[in-house]
Each structure stands twice: as structure tokens, then as C-alpha cells.
Amino acid sequence: MASVATMRGHLTNSSLLRSDVLIDGKWKGAASGAKIDVEDPFTGQIVGSIPSLAADEVHGAIAAAETAFIPWSREMNRHRGALLRRWYELVMANQEDLARLITLENGKPLKEARAEIAYGAAFIEYYADEAGRIFGETIPPLVPGRQLLVEREPVGVCAAITPWNFPMAMLTRKIAPALAAGCTMLIKPASQTPLSALALLVLAEEAGIPAGVLNIVTGKASMIGDILTASPVIRKISFTGSTEIGAQLMAKSAPTIKRLSLELGGNAPLLIFDDADIDLAIETAMVAKFRNSGQSCVAANRIYVQRGIHDTFVKAFGDRVRAMSLGDGFDPATDIGPLIDEAGVAKVDEHLEDALSHGAEIVAGGKSQGGHMSPPTLVSGVSSKAALTREETFGPLAGVIQFETIDEGIRLANDTPFGLAAYFCSSSPATIAKASRGIESGMVGINTGLISTAVVPFGGVKMSGLGREGSRYGLDEYLNMKYICHAGL
Ligand code: SIN
């Protein structure tokens, strides 16, 4: 068996590794030759580079997507669906290589990277089928001689701005419904994790997605964001990332009245009620907190445990956290890989220090160990004043807070301006009904910490965003309704 070191950069299909971008069906670098390096977060080594495009090159990509829009939107829906299905098959055929690229640029354990490819590919498969189900409507008229129709048309040229934490799945859940609807698209992946995005486009091209339908722009995020938001050609932007940047994009999109889908910050609560099954509660907490090393908008940030089950839960959860292995994502034994960068590690350390200064105690783990390595950590006795109850930690630090009554638990869960995901564990139908109705959140997981799949509407309320991704509702985000009143019949 190859060693971890030799396996690190190896791809079976070497054509997937690109250092240029696809615009209008042509792979090209920046005319200036400017590049941005891509770093392996575990070794700190440079593992690739991408073009740092100039403004006129971004405008060129917008023009290419505009030219491609009319022919693509007039394609038979069945044909668009067939191309998406072919793309899905190619993605799954290259699952291992794509997963390696993600581990290389993001650091996540290879087993999680493989799962992300399957999760991301499922959006392509789902919308390949949905392309053929974009139906209109007739409405009974109120006066004779009229036919009232509702047709659904693609929004136009769209842009997707995506984060580094799920570099593949966050793209496919925007691209697949856009293309199924008949929109064309520009994608701007995070500069930390562009390699898997470029590989996805290699496969899209191989699947036969026509030139200009899907284009990728890389470079200075603020410059590209300003061009995309200001452009009257771009009719919609879909963004996954922080609430702060989402609000800026929203403000900058206002003058051109764009449609927006914003999947923003989380700060998810997990409530463990006294009547929860303890094994299920531990499993839920493990997944809700430590999936993707806690670097997820749906990660449980605040774990509220009712007094009767508190001590048993903290002990058993602590044992599981202590047993997790921190290391190289390419090592099959690794549960928690490196965090994306030093700022990510520093934030986890700050939240830990702050929780301790407010009286919390370490049950497992502790401070970072140099590099990007932040150990899986559990603290109990966290005060509601601690930063980790207020803002996303985005790392493998779990904080437990004790509560007394069901109403208090629900009140604490809702004590946040965010409302993306929430979780709770209970075996009582009455508690389940009360909590699932009482919690202010776009998504609720009951007795599970894993709620994400392509077939459900993913999205938040309050400051966690606008719109939904995945499911048939995710397709609506890329369709406009046209009402047609046909009189004189
Ligand atoms: C996210 O962290 O933004 C998305 C996570 C998911 O899709 O499960």
C-alpha cells in the first residue's frame, strides 16, 4: 500500500488537476499571468495555483454566459436533464480523485471528502430528473372568453459564490438547479479550495455542457463580487458564506434588483431533553458537532442538556470526543483534519479561552497544537455570556450548557439572531411536537445530527438567509413566473 505521503497528490485521472479557468468553452489563464497559490492545510505546501483574473476577464465571462443563455434556455428540458445525468455519472466515476482533491485543498478526512462527492453529486442527479418537471399552470378565469396561464421561465444569467468548507457540494446545489431551469452560470469558488471546482468543470465539459453555459472565475473576491453584483446581465446571485458578506452582497445587488439566495451563518442549538435515548443523543451530538471538523453552517454550536441527563451525557460524550483522532486527512484513522487556516484555529482557541474565563471546564481536548490542528474538545458548564453561545465557532469545540425545563430549553435555542439548523433529542411525542414547533429555524433535526440531503429544502430564517437549496423548491429559485392573460376566446 502506498504511504500517506505518496498518496497525497496522486490522481488516477490527471486531467482533473487544472491551473486555468473555463470561460466560454476555453481553458485559459489570466492574461497578466497573475496567480493565486493553493495550499494544503495539513503540510502548508503549495499544491496548485489558479489565475487571478482582471476585471475585463470577469466581464468577458459574463458576456459568454449571456451569449449562451438563449440557446441553452431553449434546449429541450429533457436534453438539459440528460447532460446533467451524464455529468452526474462522470462525477461518481471520478469520486475517488475528486475526494482526494478536496482533502488536498481543504484538509478534511478522505472519508468525509468521499461522502461530500456523493452528497454533491446527488444534487446533479436530482435536478437531472427535475429538468423534465418544470410545469406551468392554468387558472380558472373570473370572466368568460379568457385563458389565464402561468409559465415558468429561467431567470437568466446567474452567479454562484461558494465557500471552502464543502467546496464541491455547495457548487452543485447551485449549478444543477440553475442549469436544469435553463439558466447559464458563472461560478466563483473560494480561493482556498478551487481545485475541486475546476475538476468539476472538466467533467461538465466532458459531459457535453455547451460552451458558455458554465464558466468559472477566480481571483480577488471583492473585485469579482463587485462586478457580479453591479452587472445588469447577472439576474441572480446565490451565495453561501457569512451573514456579513451576504448582507454586503444584498446591498450591492439592490440597484440592479437581483434575485438572491443567501445561505448564511448558523449558530445551531442542540437540545438534549431528559427523556432522550442516551446513545442516540451521543450519536446526534457527534455528527451535529464534529462533521467536517465543526466547519459547517449547520454545526451544533451550543449544546443544551437538561439537568436529569446532564452528567451522564457529558461523561459519555467526553469519552467519545477523547477517542477521536486528530491528524492528516489522508490517514484513514483521522476523524478531525486540519482546519482551513490559522484564523480558523485562532477563533476556536479564543472561544475556548473565553468559555473558560466564564467558568467552563475542559472535559476532553484543549488548545490548538500548532499548525492548523485544533483538537476535538468538549467543555461543560458554559455560561450564556460565553462567545461560543453567541457566534459560530466553526471548529471542533463543543460547549455544554445545562437547562431545567422544556420551555427554558426552547427559549435558549431561540436566543440568537440566526435560524439555520437546530437539533434536539427526545423520545416523548409531546416534547417533540412542542420543540419542533417552538424552535425558530429553517431546519430541525430530531434524534439526528445529519439532515442534509439533495431532496430537502435547505435554508434558514432570520439572519441565516433567504431562499432554499435542494428539493423542488431549490429549482424555483432559478425560475421566474410569467402570467399570460389570453382574452377574446
Ligand atoms: C454548510 O455548512 O454551509 C452546508 C452544510 C451542508 O450542506 O450540510
Side-chain angles (χ1 to χ4, degrees):
M1 201 174 124
S3 73
V4 168
T6 54
M7 284 190 317
R8 181 167 286 283
H10 176 74
L11 298 183
T12 309
N13 178 358
S14 58
S15 73
L16 294 178
L17 190 61
R18 304 286 321 196
S19 53
D20 41 7
V21 289
L22 183 67
I23 295 175
D24 203 12
K26 294 172 209 73
W27 288 94
K28 45 180 122 176
S32 67
K35 289 185 177 159
I36 300 172
D37 287 334
V38 181
E39 205 178 278
D40 174 342
F42 184 70
T43 62
Q45 284 169 355
I46 305 300
V47 291
S49 67
I50 48 165
S52 184
L53 298 178
D56 62 315
E57 292 165 311
V58 179
H59 284 292
I62 296 175
E66 187 180 21
T67 307
F69 174 67
I70 294 293
W72 179 247
S73 60
R74 291 186 184 162
E75 271 296 354
M76 291 291 98
N77 289 30
R78 245 160 44 100
H79 180 64
R80 292 201 299 266
L83 293 181
L84 286 173
R85 179 154 288 276
R86 177 80 190 116
W87 188 27
Y88 160 75
E89 284 160 0
L90 287 168
V91 168
M92 288 312 291
N94 287 274
Q95 180 178 18
E96 191 59 24
D97 278 350
L98 292 169
R100 277 182 184 288
L101 278 175
I102 287 186
T103 297
L104 195 65
E105 63 186 358
N106 167 287
K108 72 175 70 181
L110 197 50
K111 56 192 170 199
E112 290 204 46
R114 289 189 190 112
E116 183 184 340
I117 302 303
Y119 171 44
F123 289 100
I124 309 179
E125 185 186 35
Y126 181 83
Y127 289 109
D129 292 338
E130 281 297 298
R133 300 190 195 117
I134 299 174
F135 303 121
E137 212 181 321
T138 60
I139 297 175
L142 296 181
V143 290
R146 287 192 169 210
Q147 188 179 44
L148 310 182
L149 305 172
V150 181
E151 288 197 352
R152 296 167 87 217
E153 297 183 332
V155 162
V157 180
C158 300
I161 304 177
T162 55
W164 48 262
N165 62 341
F166 289 91
M168 191 259 188
M170 297 305 98
L171 274 173
T172 53
R173 79 177 179 195
K174 299 178 192 314
I175 300 171
L179 267 51
C183 299
T184 56
M185 198 169 229
L186 272 84
I187 61 170
K188 158 68 182 83
S191 295
Q192 295 99 321
T193 55
L195 301 181
S196 50
L198 292 168
L200 260 187
L201 265 69
V202 170
L203 298 173
E205 196 184 22
E206 193 180 330
I209 308 267
V213 168
L214 187 54
N215 309 275
I216 179 164
V217 289
T218 55
K220 198 162 176 257
S222 56
M223 179 269 286
I224 295 175
D226 285 350
I227 292 175
L228 296 177
T229 47
S231 168
V233 174
I234 304 282
R235 296 312 319 141
K236 179 195 167 81
I237 294 181
S238 178
F239 169 72
T240 298
S242 70
T243 297
E244 189 192 345
I245 302 288
Q248 287 173 18
L249 291 172
M250 198 171 178
K252 289 179 178 176
S253 295
T256 48
I257 316 288
K258 287 188 208 319
R259 287 185 63 171
L260 291 167
S261 295
L262 301 173
E263 197 255 277
L264 308 176
N267 193 17
L270 162 60
L271 297 167
I272 312 289
F273 292 108
D274 275 349
D275 57 18
D277 175 300
I278 184 73
D279 295 332
L280 215 47
I282 301 298
E283 246 1 275
T284 299
M286 289 299 290
V287 177
K289 177 68 248 183
F290 293 109
R291 171 176 175 245
N292 215 35
S293 306
Q295 299 176 111
S296 166
C297 301
V298 291
N301 219 43
R302 314 168 275 144
I303 304 180
Y304 298 105
V305 187
Q306 205 168 358
R307 187 218 282 262
I309 197 172
H310 177 271
D311 293 356
T312 315
F313 175 85
V314 168
K315 182 177 178 324
F317 190 31
D319 291 345
R320 286 289 297 275
V321 174
R322 232 169 277 116
M324 292 181 95
S325 145
L326 174 69
D328 181 359
F330 282 103
D331 183 339
T334 295
D335 299 306
I336 302 285
L339 299 191
I340 192 72
D341 55 23
E342 278 161 20
V345 175
K347 181 158 195 197
V348 177
D349 280 347
E350 273 163 34
H351 276 194
L352 176 59
E353 292 282 334
D354 175 74
L356 297 177
S357 76
H358 284 94
E361 284 177 15
I362 294 186
V363 180
K367 270 192 73 165
S368 64
Q369 301 169 356
H372 295 184
M373 307 313 284
S374 190
T377 296
L378 172 63
V379 287
S380 66
V382 175
S383 152
S384 57
K385 293 199 186 76
L388 78 73
T389 67
R390 308 260 137 224
E391 7 164 319
E392 274 184 319
T393 305
F394 235 68
L397 168 63
V400 168
I401 304 121
Q402 189 171 309
F403 70 95
E404 301 288 331
T405 65
I406 297 172
D407 287 332
E408 184 196 1
I410 296 172
R411 185 182 55 72
L412 288 167
N414 291 339
D415 184 20
T416 173
F418 300 99
L420 186 59
Y423 311 87
F424 67 86
C425 293
S426 168
S427 57
S428 144
T431 308
I432 289 173
K434 186 168 191 176
S436 50
R437 287 193 195 123
I439 288 175
E440 297 162 359
S441 170
M443 301 177 285
V444 178
I446 305 170
N447 295 326
T448 179
L450 187 61
I451 54 174
S452 305
T453 128
V455 301
V456 299
F458 188 105
V461 296
K462 295 157 77 176
M463 288 184 75
S464 289
L466 298 173
R468 293 294 179 266
E469 297 192 292
S471 80
R472 66 194 166 88
Y473 303 104
L475 190 59
D476 290 343
E477 304 276 330
Y478 294 91
L479 292 165
N480 283 332
M481 264 186 263
K482 181 184 270 177
Y483 156 52
I484 301 168
C485 174
H486 185 175
L489 296 174

